[in-house]
Amino acid sequence: MRFFSDNAAPAHPRVLEAIAAANRLDTAYDGDEWSQRLDGAFSDLFGTEVRAFWVTTGTAANCLALAALCPPYRSILCHRDAHIEVDEAGAPGFFTGGAKLVLLDGAGAKVTPETVAAVCDGIRDDVHQVQPAALSITNATEYVLVYHAAEIAALGELAKRRGLAFHMDGARLANALASSGEAIADVTWRAGVDALSFGFVKNGGLNAECMILFRTELADEVAVRRKRAGHLLSKGRYLAAQILAMLEDGLWLDNARTANAAAKRLAQAAPQRLAYPVEANEIFLKTTDEEADALRAQGFDFYEWGPGQIRFVTSWNQQDEDVNRLASAIAAL
Amino acid sequence: MRFFSDNAAPAHPRVLEAIAAANRLDTAYDGDEWSQRLDGAFSDLFGTEVRAFWVTTGTAANCLALAALCPPYRSILCHRDAHIEVDEAGAPGFFTGGAKLVLLDGAGAKVTPETVAAVCDGIRDDVHQVQPAALSITNATEYVLVYHAAEIAALGELAKRRGLAFHMDGARLANALASSGEAIADVTWRAGVDALSFGFVKNGGLNAECMILFRTELADEVAVRRKRAGHLLSKGRYLAAQILAMLEDGLWLDNARTANAAAKRLAQAAPQRLAYPVEANEIFLKTTDEEADALRAQGFDFYEWGPGQIRFVTSWNQQDEDVNRLASAIAAL
Amino acid sequence: MRFFSDNAAPAHPRVLEAIAAANRLDTAYDGDEWSQRLDGAFSDLFGTEVRAFWVTTGTAANCLALAALCPPYRSILCHRDAHIEVDEAGAPGFFTGGAKLVLLDGAGAKVTPETVAAVCDGIRDDVHQVQPAALSITNATEYVLVYHAAEIAALGELAKRRGLAFHMDGARLANALASSGEAIADVTWRAGVDALSFGFVKNGGLNAECMILFRTELADEVAVRRKRAGHLLSKGRYLAAQILAMLEDGLWLDNARTANAAAKRLAQAAPQRLAYPVEANEIFLKTTDEEADALRAQGFDFYEWGPGQIRFVTSWNQQDEDVNRLASAIAAL
Amino acid sequence: MRFFSDNAAPAHPRVLEAIAAANRLDTAYDGDEWSQRLDGAFSDLFGTEVRAFWVTTGTAANCLALAALCPPYRSILCHRDAHIEVDEAGAPGFFTGGAKLVLLDGAGAKVTPETVAAVCDGIRDDVHQVQPAALSITNATEYVLVYHAAEIAALGELAKRRGLAFHMDGARLANALASSGEAIADVTWRAGVDALSFGFVKNGGLNAECMILFRTELADEVAVRRKRAGHLLSKGRYLAAQILAMLEDGLWLDNARTANAAAKRLAQAAPQRLAYPVEANEIFLKTTDEEADALRAQGFDFYEWGPGQIRFVTSWNQQDEDVNRLASAIAAL
């Protein structure tokens, strides 16, 4: 029974159907009818004009955004546990041409205006020190803490005041919104976000992610950077079709709700063991090595998250039976 | 009736079936069972040990190979019409960190040992001039001329003697082999090729290409570069499955034969108009603007290739009826 | 008797004196009193507000300018014999983060609006082809042809119309102006030049060159890029003092006149052998190998410039006696 | 009275004399007789074969070394107060093509094998996390703590075991050795150092630093990288001559001893105020704002080093009288 990663889950059947339906002769790259509908579909979703770029990985979405927002000779502020810092093989350095990540502290991988301001204040404003150009947060965070609209707006306001662009890694934005019930516009552009990596693959997609640009004047540059990075697929319609299927009838939110619910059920099995509040679809449990082994012996698959901590991730198609079994097993530890 | 690009064609049904069959829970990235079978499948195909890296674009395949073969401060020799020079938005410069492309002449985008040697001889061996590190050829070329095994071996030998790595852009390698009937080993590693971009998308794939590394000692570096460029998909099994389906029962060669046959039929309609011999699945016709307009008026879709020349590309699913109609229309010009 | 390169010449005594005079305790980097006077001195010289950046090489001056004028994903148009293309080890690719040089033809390394326009017209305006961002010319050219104010203005106008930034490599700008007698403002900013590499080292300097920015809004970025490239010397006063000494009483023009006059004398010795008109301080002679050997045997040192051509460069301190001897030797061939 | 930075001090008269003596016609770049003597001079000094590269800044020396030792997709371990991290405008990211700096803790900017090992152990060995390729230390550190031979050897051994290249930023190596009395070979190559930035400018030089390569097989690559970064000066003899003058009769050590002695005298004036032991030519004093103001009012110039701390740097030509006055003033606080 796999609770290892939401990347391990299959694609949702409606996503596969959309791919099959797109399997027709059309125009190459992003000139096809599906790709051409993306900007409109997301502009409708966000309630403002946006430009949407399909890509195949969150790393590509994140780094194309960062490259457009930060010149090579400046830096991006992010949490020290941010995916762009610890799990993307240095991709931000590659895409930006050498920009730095400057690391922020904060419980549960969450940053606050205070930590951002303090780090900025410690940077001398001269040519010797690298000046910050952008702030990047992950929502939900790497420990699935959810940023609420007001928190993001406070960061956005600070970013604006300090001349920082504002990027959101939304690999699990669907889970965050399914959890908070807040409006997608309120946690993104209305809160000052300039570019968003909107995750679909962890949430039932097959291999399509989307980068949403609220600063539409950067779209031409991003389009070129996408091509130049080898991310302009020649049959882009299969990516666009996946994304449109995820948006249709709110499939993206439904999937996220299912995954969140499974995590919540697990969390309730052992509230005293939680390393972090379970606000979305991951739970981090404090266990001994023996306890972890015992769970493994019962056929549960998960990730060891440092010493004395294990991580379970639930997905859109987590089976109720498996979840119940795991909940019982955790409770019985 | 579309003869615009083989990228416009749909994916082959067996490719779609393979994707559906892979739609199960498995391990993320390239740890899944399909991805794990790739090295073996290609090692069998080539008759030597290789390492295979799925990616989603030919640009990614080409440039990951070039980045592994050429340091930032050296250059890559290629034809001035090479895809890496004219159609990849400067991606080689991005992936290599600033290496140069040095351009070679040659009819039909084909290079010869003589042209390579002459350009190398013109480069002063000092720190002021950029020293070449690699040679890249496209097979079939951008005008679908086919390099034969002996021609490639001659280039490979020269490359070795000059200390150049040797890369082949095989976006249409299947078409080249379907045309020449030569063995894939003979036109690649036995001829000195170090890395190959093996194209599947133009040939019935959906969005999986493959970079084949014959110099397996570079595999660790390439794996990191793939991740760092945002090209390590989190659900890689859908790419691996496509590629395995293309390899099964020689689907890749069958598809290429079909496409080539269609092109040959078109070529026979007006042999006197051919700008290049039709050795694979493209035909370049010399026409007046009026003739081009006349074809368009009959519902044929194609690419204007500079003044007085138009390009038709045939694909694995080109309909016989359409081909016959176009052949008649061309003959009637 | 050295006629190999103006880089081989010593520094002018007044430059050395200026260095000695600056040998006092002052502020580090470019905060010292000499560095602080540069902007003013050049603004006076050019008759407009400029920002001046001392560096130690022409390559640094050229490439800092190009990096500020061209993003990594676009290209710079230059002559195929331009120093940035053939003699800077790929530095433009390094400083810009991978931008391309697109090469122009033209006799004597001179480009015209027609050649620029033709190359631009051949670039498809899409994301697949690299779009040009800048034009770079060398004045005097690598064959010391001099661009006149009207020629530069025509290029500048074209650049503006096409959205291209305009850079001038002025490694031998002093020689060009000493030759043409034109005003420095007329061949630079008034003609549309955005950034100029103003050469001093070939003209009697020790190790200070200067990059002049007419688009002063880019100064902050250039200042950071200079530091980041390791070109912000900690004792910058010794560079600034050299440059100020060169500007004082027109030493830079006097030196150039001397060098030009020597070249002119040599040119008159064998007008029928000249590969190019001698408009500044280099002469390119057509000779047989035997003739070249004969000159060498008489103690003259020069550069073999391809088959059947040799290059002599004259400098600010070329000795009359040596020049006369060489002139006689050439006449006697 | 300036105690602001050793970069503010003038050049030593013998350095100026050497420049004047080199003011002759010679060969360009590094083909001149002075440059040609560098490898030999340093090989003698180190007692092993080395390759020496003059450059004009410590940043260039550091980053050329790091670029040769670390590929773009890996990381360099250094102290979080290291000059390459905090004072070089992100130059390591630029020169390496995007490699990361991974930051280590340690009092007085000193790192230990334990801190290095602990950080390495925390990096998962997979393609998602950036793998370390090099270790860089500064000797003397940014707080002028001196690494002793045994400490460096322990780091060198660890580096070797972990597959890390080993770089030393020796901007104040002269001061470190003047302080410890240890042999230069023992603190460099015998301790496992692969490349050294050997500082001269802070120690009486004018604008010449030197990068020493103990892994001589990297010399060709470094030579190209130096040119490509715009650091191959066309009249290199003026740099080489400076360095040779510094080496002659141990001027570099004499200058460092003078500077160190001045710092020691200041340290003795208020031992209880020292933030760090004074092991070379800087002293960091704990003072109140009022005390700092009082010193400034008496005409002393220094650097505010964060709240409650001020920094004095002494140089090779610090005047005894000034030092005594400052010592008295400090004692009297």
Side-chain angles (χ1 to χ4, degrees), chain B residues 126-160:
Chain B
D126 63 24
V127 300
H128 303 272
Q129 298 213 326
V130 179
Q131 303 302 308
L135 168 66
S136 176
I137 65 169
T138 309
N139 189 24
T141 73
E142 285 70 16
Y143 298 96
V144 294
L145 299 195
V146 172
Y147 283 96
H148 290 279
E151 295 173 292
I152 301 168
L155 287 165
E157 206 207 327
L158 175 73
K160 198 169 185 180

Side-chain angles (χ1 to χ4, degrees), chain C residues 196-278:
Chain C
L196 165 72
S197 304
F198 199 156
F200 291 101
V201 173
K202 292 177 192 295
N203 192 30
L206 191 141
N207 58 16
E209 309 277 18
C210 206
M211 201 274 270
I212 307 296
L213 204 51
F214 300 107
R215 286 179 51 188
T216 53
E217 75 278 10
L218 296 173
D220 287 352
E221 175 181 340
V222 169
V224 174
R225 288 187 182 272
R226 178 173 65 169
K227 169 69 190 180
R228 176 176 173 83
H231 284 288
L232 182 65
L233 273 67
S234 54
K235 295 180 176 174
R237 54 197 178 279
Y238 300 105
L239 298 185
Q242 291 178 51
I243 295 169
L244 293 170
M246 289 291 292
L247 294 186
E248 205 175 325
D249 298 330
L251 177 59
W252 64 285
L253 265 179
D254 290 343
N255 284 353
R257 280 190 201 107
T258 307
N260 286 2
K264 185 139 286 182
R265 225 164 331 143
L266 295 177
Q268 289 160 347
Q272 76 291 356
R273 287 181 178 273
L274 297 178
Y276 305 97
V278 175

Side-chain angles (χ1 to χ4, degrees), chain A residues 102-117:
Chain A
V102 173
L103 307 181
L104 307 170
D105 290 306
K110 220 167 168 177
V111 304
T112 63
E114 290 69 36
T115 54
V116 174

Side-chain angles (χ1 to χ4, degrees), chain A residues 85-90 100 124 127-130 303, chain D residues 85-90 100 124 127-130 303:
Chain A
E85 163 65 10
V86 296
D87 274 307
E88 301 192 351
K100 273 175 84 117
R124 279 197 330 266
V127 300
H128 304 273
Q129 299 215 324
V130 180
Y303 200 94
Chain D
E85 163 65 12
V86 296
D87 273 308
E88 301 192 352
K100 269 174 84 118
R124 280 197 330 267
V127 299
H128 303 273
Q129 299 213 325
V130 180
Y303 200 94

